[in-house]
Coordinates of all heavy atoms in Angstrom, one line a residue:
R10 N 105.7 114.9 -263.8 CA 105.3 114.1 -265.0 C 104.4 115.0 -265.9 O 103.5 115.6 -265.4 CB 104.6 112.8 -264.6 CG 104.3 111.9 -265.7 CD 103.6 110.7 -265.2 NE 104.4 110.0 -264.3 CZ 104.0 108.9 -263.7 NH1 102.9 108.4 -263.9 NH2 104.8 108.3 -262.8
S11 N 104.7 115.1 -267.2 CA 103.9 116.0 -268.1 C 102.6 115.4 -268.3 O 102.4 114.2 -268.0 CB 104.7 116.2 -269.4 OG 104.6 115.0 -270.2
S12 N 101.6 116.2 -268.7 CA 100.3 115.7 -269.0 C 100.3 114.6 -270.0 O 99.6 113.6 -269.9 CB 99.4 116.8 -269.4 OG 98.1 116.4 -269.7
A13 N 101.0 114.7 -271.1 CA 101.1 113.7 -272.2 C 101.7 112.4 -271.6 O 101.2 111.3 -271.9 CB 101.9 114.2 -273.4
A14 N 102.8 112.5 -270.8 CA 103.4 111.3 -270.3 C 102.4 110.7 -269.3 O 102.3 109.5 -269.2 CB 104.7 111.7 -269.6
S15 N 101.7 111.5 -268.5 CA 100.7 111.0 -267.6 C 99.6 110.2 -268.3 O 99.2 109.2 -267.8 CB 100.2 112.1 -266.7 OG 99.2 111.6 -265.8
D16 N 99.1 110.8 -269.4 CA 98.1 110.1 -270.2 C 98.6 108.7 -270.7 O 97.9 107.7 -270.7 CB 97.6 110.9 -271.3 CG 96.8 112.1 -270.9 OD1 96.3 112.1 -269.7 OD2 96.6 113.1 -271.7
V17 N 99.8 108.7 -271.2 CA 100.4 107.4 -271.7 C 100.5 106.4 -270.6 O 100.1 105.3 -270.7 CB 101.8 107.6 -272.4 CG1 102.5 106.3 -272.6 CG2 101.6 108.4 -273.6
Y18 N 100.9 106.9 -269.4 CA 101.1 106.0 -268.2 C 99.7 105.5 -267.8 O 99.6 104.3 -267.6 CB 101.6 106.8 -267.1 CG 101.6 106.1 -265.8 CD1 102.7 105.2 -265.5 CD2 100.7 106.3 -264.8 CE1 102.7 104.5 -264.3 CE2 100.7 105.6 -263.6 CZ 101.7 104.7 -263.4 OH 101.7 104.0 -262.2
K19 N 98.7 106.3 -267.8 CA 97.3 105.8 -267.4 C 96.7 104.9 -268.4 O 96.0 104.0 -268.0 CB 96.4 107.0 -267.3 CG 96.7 107.9 -266.1 CD 95.8 109.1 -266.0 CE 96.2 110.0 -264.9 NZ 95.4 111.3 -265.0
R20 N 97.0 105.0 -269.7 CA 96.5 104.2 -270.7 C 97.2 102.8 -270.9 O 96.7 101.9 -271.5 CB 96.4 104.9 -272.1 CG 95.4 106.0 -272.1 CD 95.1 106.5 -273.5 NE 96.4 106.8 -274.2 CZ 97.0 108.0 -274.3 NH1 96.4 109.0 -273.7 NH2 98.1 108.1 -275.0
Q21 N 98.4 102.8 -270.4 CA 99.3 101.6 -270.6 C 98.6 100.4 -270.0 O 98.3 100.4 -268.8 CB 100.6 101.8 -270.0 CG 101.6 100.7 -270.2 CD 102.0 100.6 -271.7 OE1 102.3 101.6 -272.3 NE2 102.0 99.4 -272.2
G22 N 98.2 99.4 -270.8 CA 97.6 98.2 -270.3 C 96.1 98.3 -270.0 O 95.5 97.4 -269.4
L23 N 95.5 99.4 -270.3 CA 94.1 99.6 -270.1 C 93.2 98.8 -271.0 O 93.5 98.7 -272.2 CB 93.7 101.1 -270.3 CG 92.3 101.5 -269.8 CD1 92.1 101.3 -268.3 CD2 92.1 103.0 -270.2
T24 N 92.3 98.1 -270.4 CA 91.4 97.2 -271.1 C 90.0 97.3 -270.5 O 89.8 98.3 -269.7 CB 91.9 95.8 -271.2 OG1 91.1 95.0 -272.0 CG2 92.0 95.1 -269.8
S25 N 89.1 96.4 -270.8 CA 87.8 96.5 -270.1 C 87.4 95.0 -269.8 O 87.9 94.1 -270.4 CB 86.8 97.1 -271.0 OG 86.6 96.4 -272.2
A26 N 86.5 94.9 -268.9 CA 85.9 93.6 -268.4 C 84.5 93.8 -268.2 O 84.0 94.9 -268.0 CB 86.6 93.2 -267.2
T27 N 83.8 92.7 -268.3 CA 82.3 92.7 -268.0 C 82.1 92.1 -266.7 O 82.6 91.1 -266.3 CB 81.6 91.9 -269.1 OG1 81.9 92.4 -270.4 CG2 80.1 91.9 -268.9
T28 N 81.3 92.9 -265.8 CA 81.0 92.4 -264.5 C 79.9 91.3 -264.6 O 79.3 91.0 -265.6 CB 80.4 93.6 -263.7 OG1 79.1 94.0 -264.2 CG2 81.4 94.8 -263.7
T29 N 79.7 90.7 -263.4 CA 78.7 89.7 -263.4 C 77.3 90.2 -263.7 O 76.4 89.4 -264.0 CB 78.6 89.0 -262.0 OG1 78.5 90.0 -261.0 CG2 79.9 88.2 -261.7
F30 N 77.1 91.6 -263.6 CA 75.8 92.2 -263.9 C 75.7 92.7 -265.3 O 74.8 93.3 -265.7 CB 75.5 93.3 -262.9 CG 75.4 92.9 -261.5 CD1 76.5 93.1 -260.6 CD2 74.3 92.2 -261.0 CE1 76.4 92.7 -259.3 CE2 74.2 91.8 -259.7 CZ 75.3 92.0 -258.9
G31 N 76.8 92.4 -266.1 CA 76.7 92.7 -267.5 C 77.2 94.1 -267.9 O 77.2 94.5 -269.0
N32 N 77.8 94.8 -266.9 CA 78.3 96.2 -267.1 C 79.8 96.0 -267.6 O 80.5 95.2 -267.1 CB 78.2 97.0 -265.9 CG 76.8 97.2 -265.4 OD1 75.9 97.5 -266.2 ND2 76.6 97.0 -264.1
T33 N 80.2 96.9 -268.5 CA 81.6 97.0 -269.0 C 82.3 98.0 -268.1 O 81.8 99.2 -268.0 CB 81.6 97.3 -270.4 OG1 80.9 96.3 -271.2 CG2 83.0 97.4 -270.9
V34 N 83.4 97.7 -267.5 CA 84.2 98.6 -266.7 C 85.6 98.6 -267.2 O 86.1 97.6 -267.6 CB 84.1 98.2 -265.2 CG1 82.7 98.3 -264.7 CG2 84.6 96.7 -265.0
P35 N 86.3 99.7 -267.0 CA 87.7 99.8 -267.3 C 88.5 99.0 -266.3 O 88.2 99.0 -265.1 CB 88.0 101.3 -267.3 CG 87.0 101.9 -266.5 CD 85.8 101.0 -266.5
T36 N 89.6 98.4 -266.8 CA 90.5 97.7 -265.9 C 91.8 97.6 -266.5 O 92.0 97.9 -267.7 CB 89.9 96.3 -265.5 OG1 90.7 95.7 -264.5 CG2 89.9 95.4 -266.8
Y37 N 92.8 97.1 -265.8 CA 94.2 96.9 -266.4 C 94.4 95.5 -266.6 O 93.9 94.6 -265.9 CB 95.2 97.5 -265.4 CG 95.2 99.0 -265.4 CD1 94.9 99.7 -264.2 CD2 95.6 99.7 -266.5 CE1 94.9 101.1 -264.2 CE2 95.6 101.1 -266.5 CZ 95.3 101.8 -265.3 OH 95.3 103.2 -265.3
D38 N 95.2 95.2 -267.6 CA 95.5 93.8 -268.0 C 96.5 93.2 -267.0 O 97.0 93.9 -266.1 CB 95.9 93.6 -269.4 CG 97.2 94.4 -269.8 OD1 98.0 94.7 -268.9 OD2 97.4 94.8 -270.9
R39 N 96.8 91.9 -267.1 CA 97.7 91.2 -266.2 C 99.1 91.8 -266.2 O 99.7 91.9 -265.2 CB 97.7 89.7 -266.5 CG 96.5 88.9 -266.1 CD 96.7 87.5 -266.3 NE 97.1 87.2 -267.7 CZ 96.3 86.6 -268.6 NH1 95.1 86.3 -268.3 NH2 96.8 86.4 -269.8
E40 N 99.5 92.1 -267.4 CA 100.9 92.6 -267.5 C 101.1 94.0 -266.8 O 102.0 94.2 -266.1 CB 101.3 92.8 -269.0 CG 101.5 91.4 -269.7 CD 100.2 90.6 -270.0 OE1 99.1 91.2 -270.0 OE2 100.3 89.4 -270.2
R41 N 100.1 94.9 -267.0 CA 100.2 96.2 -266.3 C 100.1 96.0 -264.8 O 100.8 96.6 -264.0 CB 99.0 97.1 -266.8 CG 98.7 98.3 -265.9 CD 99.8 99.3 -265.9 NE 99.6 100.3 -264.9 CZ 99.2 101.5 -265.2 NH1 99.1 101.9 -266.4 NH2 99.0 102.4 -264.2
T42 N 99.2 95.1 -264.4 CA 99.0 94.8 -263.0 C 100.3 94.3 -262.4 O 100.7 94.7 -261.3 CB 97.8 93.8 -262.7 OG1 96.6 94.4 -263.3 CG2 97.6 93.6 -261.3
L43 N 101.0 93.4 -263.1 CA 102.2 92.9 -262.5 C 103.3 94.0 -262.4 O 104.0 94.0 -261.4 CB 102.7 91.7 -263.4 CG 104.0 91.1 -262.9 CD1 103.8 90.4 -261.6 CD2 104.6 90.1 -263.9
C44 N 103.3 94.9 -263.4 CA 104.3 96.0 -263.3 C 103.9 96.9 -262.2 O 104.9 97.3 -261.5 CB 104.3 96.8 -264.6 SG 105.0 95.9 -266.0
D45 N 102.7 97.1 -261.9 CA 102.3 97.9 -260.8 C 102.7 97.2 -259.4 O 103.1 97.9 -258.5 CB 100.8 98.2 -260.7 CG 100.4 99.3 -261.7 OD1 101.2 100.1 -262.2 OD2 99.2 99.3 -262.1
V46 N 102.5 95.9 -259.4 CA 102.9 95.2 -258.2 C 104.4 95.3 -258.0 O 104.9 95.6 -256.8 CB 102.6 93.7 -258.3 CG1 103.3 92.8 -257.3 CG2 101.1 93.5 -258.2
I47 N 105.2 95.2 -259.0 CA 106.7 95.4 -258.9 C 107.0 96.8 -258.5 O 107.9 97.0 -257.6 CB 107.4 94.9 -260.2 CG1 107.2 93.4 -260.4 CG2 108.8 95.3 -260.2 CD1 107.6 92.9 -261.7
R48 N 106.4 97.8 -259.1 CA 106.6 99.2 -258.7 C 106.3 99.5 -257.3 O 106.9 100.3 -256.6 CB 105.8 100.1 -259.6 CG 106.2 100.2 -261.0 CD 105.4 101.2 -261.8 NE 105.7 102.5 -261.4 CZ 104.8 103.4 -260.9 NH1 103.5 103.1 -260.8 NH2 105.1 104.6 -260.6
Q49 N 105.3 98.8 -256.7 CA 104.8 99.1 -255.4 C 105.2 98.0 -254.3 O 104.6 97.8 -253.3 CB 103.3 99.2 -255.4 CG 102.7 100.2 -256.2 CD 103.1 101.6 -255.8 OE1 103.1 101.9 -254.6 NE2 103.4 102.5 -256.7
R50 N 106.3 97.3 -254.6 CA 106.7 96.1 -253.8 C 106.9 96.5 -252.3 O 106.7 95.7 -251.5 CB 107.9 95.4 -254.4 CG 109.2 96.2 -254.4 CD 110.3 95.4 -255.0 NE 111.4 96.2 -255.5 CZ 111.5 96.6 -256.7 NH1 110.6 96.3 -257.6 NH2 112.5 97.4 -257.0
G51 N 107.3 97.7 -252.1 CA 107.5 98.2 -250.7 C 106.2 98.4 -249.9 O 106.3 98.5 -248.7
A52 N 105.1 98.5 -250.6 CA 103.8 98.8 -250.0 C 103.0 97.5 -249.7 O 101.9 97.6 -249.3 CB 103.0 99.7 -250.9
M53 N 103.6 96.3 -249.9 CA 102.8 95.1 -249.7 C 103.7 94.1 -249.0 O 105.0 94.2 -249.0 CB 102.2 94.5 -251.0 CG 103.3 94.1 -252.0 SD 102.5 93.6 -253.6 CE 102.1 95.2 -254.2
D54 N 103.1 93.1 -248.4 CA 103.9 92.1 -247.8 C 104.6 91.2 -248.8 O 104.2 91.0 -249.9 CB 103.1 91.2 -246.8 CG 102.0 90.4 -247.5 OD1 100.9 90.9 -247.7 OD2 102.3 89.2 -247.7
V55 N 105.7 90.6 -248.4 CA 106.5 89.8 -249.3 C 105.8 88.6 -249.9 O 105.9 88.3 -251.0 CB 107.8 89.2 -248.5 CG1 108.6 88.3 -249.4 CG2 108.6 90.4 -248.1
Q56 N 104.9 88.0 -249.1 CA 104.1 86.8 -249.6 C 103.2 87.2 -250.7 O 103.2 86.5 -251.8 CB 103.3 86.2 -248.4 CG 102.5 85.0 -248.8 CD 103.4 83.8 -249.1 OE1 104.4 83.7 -248.5 NE2 103.0 82.9 -250.0
T57 N 102.5 88.3 -250.6 CA 101.7 88.8 -251.7 C 102.4 89.1 -253.0 O 102.1 88.7 -254.1 CB 100.9 90.0 -251.2 OG1 100.1 89.7 -250.1 CG2 99.9 90.6 -252.3
Y58 N 103.6 89.8 -252.8 CA 104.4 90.2 -253.9 C 104.9 88.9 -254.6 O 104.8 88.8 -255.8 CB 105.6 91.0 -253.3 CG 106.6 91.4 -254.3 CD1 106.3 92.4 -255.2 CD2 107.9 90.9 -254.3 CE1 107.3 92.9 -256.1 CE2 108.8 91.3 -255.2 CZ 108.5 92.3 -256.1 OH 109.5 92.7 -257.0
Q59 N 105.5 88.0 -253.9 CA 106.0 86.8 -254.5 C 104.9 85.9 -255.2 O 105.1 85.4 -256.3 CB 106.7 85.9 -253.4 CG 108.0 86.5 -253.0 CD 108.7 85.8 -251.9 OE1 108.1 84.9 -251.2 NE2 110.0 86.0 -251.6
T60 N 103.8 85.9 -254.6 CA 102.7 85.1 -255.1 C 102.2 85.7 -256.5 O 102.0 85.0 -257.4 CB 101.5 85.0 -254.1 OG1 101.9 84.4 -253.0 CG2 100.3 84.3 -254.7
A61 N 102.1 87.0 -256.5 CA 101.7 87.7 -257.7 C 102.7 87.4 -258.9 O 102.2 87.1 -260.0 CB 101.6 89.2 -257.5
I62 N 103.9 87.5 -258.6 CA 105.0 87.2 -259.6 C 104.9 85.8 -260.1 O 104.9 85.5 -261.2 CB 106.3 87.6 -259.2 CG1 106.4 89.2 -259.0 CG2 107.4 87.2 -260.1 CD1 107.6 89.7 -258.3
R63 N 104.9 84.9 -259.1 CA 104.9 83.5 -259.4 C 103.7 83.0 -260.2 O 103.8 82.3 -261.2 CB 105.0 82.6 -258.1 CG 105.1 81.1 -258.3 CD 105.3 80.3 -257.1 NE 104.4 80.7 -256.0 CZ 104.7 81.3 -254.9 NH1 105.9 81.8 -254.7 NH2 103.7 81.6 -254.0
E64 N 102.5 83.5 -259.8 CA 101.3 83.2 -260.5 C 101.3 83.7 -261.9 O 100.8 83.0 -262.9 CB 100.1 83.7 -259.8 CG 99.8 83.0 -258.5 CD 99.5 81.5 -258.6 OE1 98.7 81.2 -259.6 OE2 100.0 80.8 -257.8
Y65 N 101.8 84.9 -262.2 CA 101.8 85.4 -263.5 C 102.8 84.5 -264.3 O 102.5 84.1 -265.5 CB 102.3 86.8 -263.6 CG 102.4 87.3 -265.0 CD1 101.3 87.7 -265.7 CD2 103.6 87.3 -265.7 CE1 101.4 88.1 -267.1 CE2 103.7 87.6 -267.0 CZ 102.6 88.0 -267.7 OH 102.7 88.4 -269.0
M66 N 104.0 84.3 -263.8 CA 105.0 83.6 -264.5 C 104.6 82.1 -264.9 O 105.0 81.6 -265.9 CB 106.4 83.6 -263.8 CG 107.0 84.9 -263.6 SD 107.3 85.7 -265.2 CE 108.0 87.3 -264.7
L67 N 103.8 81.5 -264.0 CA 103.4 80.1 -264.2 C 102.2 80.0 -265.0 O 101.8 78.9 -265.5 CB 103.3 79.4 -262.9 CG 104.6 79.3 -262.0 CD1 104.3 78.7 -260.7 CD2 105.6 78.5 -262.8
H68 N 101.5 81.1 -265.3 CA 100.2 81.1 -266.0 C 100.5 80.8 -267.5 O 101.5 81.3 -268.0 CB 99.6 82.5 -265.9 CG 98.2 82.5 -266.4 ND1 97.8 82.7 -267.7 CD2 97.0 82.3 -265.8 CE1 96.5 82.7 -267.8 NE2 96.0 82.4 -266.7
G69 N 99.7 80.0 -268.1 CA 99.9 79.7 -269.5 C 99.7 80.7 -270.5 O 100.1 80.6 -271.7
H70 N 98.9 81.8 -270.2 CA 98.5 82.8 -271.2 C 99.2 84.1 -270.9 O 98.6 85.2 -271.0 CB 97.0 83.0 -271.1 CG 96.3 81.8 -271.6 ND1 96.0 80.7 -270.8 CD2 95.9 81.4 -272.8 CE1 95.4 79.8 -271.4 NE2 95.3 80.2 -272.7
K71 N 100.5 84.1 -270.7 CA 101.2 85.4 -270.5 C 101.6 86.0 -271.8 O 101.8 85.3 -272.8 CB 102.4 85.2 -269.5 CG 103.3 84.2 -269.9 CD 104.3 84.0 -268.7 CE 105.1 82.8 -268.8 NZ 104.3 81.6 -268.6
N72 N 101.7 87.3 -271.9 CA 102.1 88.0 -273.1 C 103.4 88.7 -272.8 O 103.4 89.9 -272.4 CB 101.0 89.0 -273.5 CG 101.2 89.7 -274.8 OD1 102.4 89.8 -275.2 ND2 100.2 90.2 -275.4
L73 N 104.5 88.0 -273.0 CA 105.8 88.5 -272.6 C 106.2 89.8 -273.4 O 106.7 90.7 -272.8 CB 106.9 87.4 -272.7 CG 106.6 86.3 -271.7 CD1 107.7 85.2 -271.9 CD2 106.5 86.7 -270.3
P74 N 106.0 89.8 -274.7 CA 106.3 91.1 -275.4 C 105.5 92.3 -274.8 O 106.1 93.4 -274.6 CB 105.9 90.8 -276.8 CG 106.0 89.3 -276.9 CD 105.5 88.8 -275.6
H75 N 104.3 92.1 -274.5 CA 103.5 93.2 -273.9 C 104.0 93.5 -272.5 O 104.0 94.7 -272.1 CB 102.0 92.8 -273.8 CG 101.1 93.8 -273.3 ND1 101.1 95.1 -273.7 CD2 100.2 93.8 -272.3 CE1 100.2 95.8 -273.0 NE2 99.7 95.0 -272.1
L76 N 104.4 92.5 -271.7 CA 104.9 92.7 -270.4 C 106.2 93.6 -270.5 O 106.3 94.5 -269.7 CB 105.3 91.4 -269.7 CG 105.9 91.5 -268.3 CD1 105.0 92.2 -267.3 CD2 106.3 90.1 -267.8
I77 N 107.1 93.3 -271.4 CA 108.3 94.1 -271.6 C 107.9 95.6 -272.0 O 108.5 96.5 -271.4 CB 109.2 93.5 -272.6 CG1 109.8 92.1 -272.1 CG2 110.4 94.4 -273.0 CD1 110.6 92.2 -270.8
R78 N 107.0 95.7 -272.9 CA 106.6 97.1 -273.3 C 106.0 97.9 -272.1 O 106.3 99.0 -271.8 CB 105.5 97.0 -274.4 CG 106.1 96.8 -275.7 CD 105.1 97.0 -276.8 NE 103.9 96.2 -276.7 CZ 103.7 94.9 -277.1 NH1 104.7 94.3 -277.7 NH2 102.6 94.3 -276.9
C79 N 105.2 97.2 -271.3 CA 104.6 97.8 -270.1 C 105.7 98.2 -269.1 O 105.7 99.3 -268.5 CB 103.6 96.9 -269.4 SG 102.0 96.9 -270.2
S80 N 106.6 97.2 -268.9 CA 107.6 97.5 -267.9 C 108.5 98.6 -268.3 O 109.0 99.4 -267.4 CB 108.4 96.2 -267.6 OG 109.2 95.8 -268.8
R81 N 108.8 98.7 -269.6 CA 109.6 99.8 -270.1 C 108.9 101.2 -269.8 O 109.5 102.1 -269.3 CB 109.9 99.6 -271.6 CG 110.9 100.6 -272.1 CD 111.3 100.3 -273.5 NE 111.9 99.0 -273.6 CZ 111.6 98.0 -274.4 NH1 110.7 98.2 -275.4 NH2 112.2 96.8 -274.4
A82 N 107.6 101.2 -270.2 CA 106.8 102.4 -270.0 C 106.7 102.8 -268.5 O 106.6 104.0 -268.2 CB 105.5 102.3 -270.6
L83 N 106.6 101.8 -267.7 CA 106.4 102.1 -266.2 C 107.7 102.1 -265.4 O 107.7 102.1 -264.2 CB 105.5 101.0 -265.6 CG 104.1 101.0 -266.3 CD1 103.2 99.9 -265.8 CD2 103.4 102.4 -266.2
K84 N 108.8 102.0 -266.2 CA 110.2 102.1 -265.6 C 110.6 101.0 -264.6 O 111.2 101.3 -263.6 CB 110.3 103.5 -264.9 CG 109.9 104.7 -265.6 CD 111.0 105.2 -266.5 CE 110.7 106.6 -267.1 NZ 110.3 106.6 -268.4
V85 N 110.1 99.8 -264.9 CA 110.5 98.7 -264.1 C 111.1 97.5 -265.0 O 111.1 96.4 -264.6 CB 109.3 98.1 -263.2 CG1 109.0 99.1 -262.1 CG2 108.1 97.8 -264.1
E86 N 111.5 97.9 -266.1 CA 112.0 96.9 -267.1 C 113.1 96.0 -266.5 O 113.1 94.8 -266.7 CB 112.4 97.5 -268.4 CG 112.8 96.5 -269.4 CD 113.2 97.1 -270.8 OE1 113.3 98.3 -270.9 OE2 113.5 96.3 -271.7
D87 N 114.1 96.6 -265.9 CA 115.2 95.8 -265.3 C 114.7 94.8 -264.3 O 115.1 93.6 -264.3 CB 116.3 96.7 -264.6 CG 117.0 97.5 -265.7 OD1 117.0 97.2 -266.9 OD2 117.7 98.5 -265.2
D88 N 113.8 95.2 -263.4 CA 113.2 94.2 -262.5 C 112.5 93.1 -263.2 O 112.6 91.9 -262.8 CB 112.3 95.0 -261.5 CG 113.1 95.9 -260.6 OD1 114.2 95.6 -260.2 OD2 112.5 97.0 -260.3
V89 N 111.7 93.5 -264.1 CA 110.9 92.4 -264.8 C 111.8 91.5 -265.6 O 111.6 90.3 -265.5 CB 109.9 93.1 -265.8 CG1 109.3 92.1 -266.8 CG2 108.8 93.8 -265.1
R90 N 112.8 92.0 -266.2 CA 113.8 91.1 -266.9 C 114.5 90.1 -265.9 O 114.7 89.0 -266.3 CB 114.8 91.9 -267.7 CG 114.1 92.5 -269.0 CD 115.2 93.2 -269.9 NE 114.6 93.7 -271.0 CZ 114.3 93.1 -272.1 NH1 114.5 91.8 -272.3 NH2 113.7 93.7 -273.2
R91 N 114.8 90.6 -264.8 CA 115.4 89.7 -263.7 C 114.5 88.6 -263.4 O 114.9 87.5 -263.3 CB 115.7 90.6 -262.5 CG 117.2 90.6 -262.1 CD 117.5 91.3 -260.8 NE 116.7 92.5 -260.5 CZ 117.0 93.7 -260.9 NH1 118.0 93.9 -261.7 NH2 116.2 94.7 -260.5
Y92 N 113.2 88.9 -263.2 CA 112.2 87.8 -262.8 C 112.0 86.9 -264.0 O 111.9 85.7 -263.8 CB 110.9 88.4 -262.4 CG 111.0 89.1 -261.1 CD1 110.8 90.5 -260.9 CD2 111.3 88.4 -259.9 CE1 110.8 91.1 -259.7 CE2 111.4 89.0 -258.7 CZ 111.2 90.3 -258.6 OH 111.3 91.0 -257.4
L93 N 112.0 87.4 -265.2 CA 111.9 86.5 -266.4 C 113.1 85.5 -266.5 O 112.9 84.4 -266.8 CB 111.8 87.3 -267.7 CG 110.5 88.1 -267.9 CD1 110.6 89.0 -269.1 CD2 109.3 87.2 -268.0
E94 N 114.3 86.0 -266.2 CA 115.5 85.1 -266.2 C 115.3 84.0 -265.2 O 115.6 82.9 -265.5 CB 116.7 85.9 -266.0 CG 117.1 86.8 -267.1 CD 118.3 87.7 -266.8 OE1 119.0 87.5 -265.7 OE2 118.6 88.6 -267.5
V95 N 114.9 84.4 -264.0 CA 114.7 83.4 -262.9 C 113.7 82.3 -263.3 O 113.9 81.1 -263.1 CB 114.4 84.0 -261.6 CG1 114.0 83.0 -260.6 CG2 115.6 84.9 -261.1
F96 N 112.5 82.8 -263.8 CA 111.4 81.8 -264.0 C 111.5 81.1 -265.3 O 110.9 80.0 -265.5 CB 110.1 82.6 -263.9 CG 109.6 82.8 -262.5 CD1 109.9 83.9 -261.8 CD2 108.9 81.8 -261.8 CE1 109.5 84.1 -260.5 CE2 108.5 81.9 -260.5 CZ 108.8 83.1 -259.8
L97 N 112.1 81.7 -266.3 CA 112.0 81.1 -267.7 C 113.3 80.4 -268.1 O 113.4 79.8 -269.1 CB 111.7 82.2 -268.7 CG 110.4 82.8 -268.5 CD1 110.1 83.9 -269.5 CD2 109.2 81.9 -268.5
L98 N 114.4 80.5 -267.3 CA 115.6 79.8 -267.6 C 115.8 78.5 -266.8 O 115.2 78.2 -265.9 CB 116.8 80.7 -267.4 CG 116.9 81.9 -268.4 CD1 118.1 82.7 -268.1 CD2 116.9 81.4 -269.8

């Protein structure tokens, strides 16, 4: 992966959060995290994988356009679209 492509990959879904001690730390948003779960499905147990997908899909504050953009950038768009069809139809 080229350096430019690697930078885009690392920045995709990057945001920040405030800890309980008031510090701001970098973190990834829900959409990026879900894409990472889908990319790494072989590295986790089935229950964790299914729970992550189900919880995101049932959550009221999902950002589906952003999820599609992230999934495209992270090369899991086909998998994400399959889950969207199952949960949203």
Side-chain angles (χ1 to χ4, degrees):
R10 183 181 304 178
S11 73
S12 179
S15 181
D16 287 344
V17 169
Y18 174 81
K19 289 176 187 173
R20 287 192 313 266
Q21 187 68 45
L23 189 61
T24 186
S25 62
T27 304
T28 68
T29 55
F30 297 105
N32 299 312
T33 301
V34 295
T36 187
Y37 288 113
D38 60 28
R39 287 186 305 253
E40 289 74 19
R41 163 63 188 257
T42 301
L43 183 63
C44 289
D45 284 339
V46 165
I47 291 170
R48 287 181 72 239
Q49 300 294 321
R50 65 181 159 266
M53 65 186 72
D54 67 273
V55 174
Q56 182 69 31
T57 301
Y58 178 74
Q59 289 175 343
T60 299
I62 293 170
R63 184 175 50 252
E64 289 298 317
Y65 177 82
M66 295 299 179
L67 297 177
H68 193 272
H70 293 88
K71 52 188 165 293
N72 184 339
L73 297 179
H75 181 55
L76 176 62
I77 294 298
R78 283 191 302 276
C79 282
S80 69
R81 187 173 299 133
L83 301 176
K84 310 273 192 258
V85 292
E86 183 177 3
D87 290 343
D88 294 325
V89 167
R90 286 186 181 277
R91 240 186 324 275
Y92 290 116
L93 289 175
E94 287 176 11
V95 169
F96 279 92
L97 298 177
L98 293 180

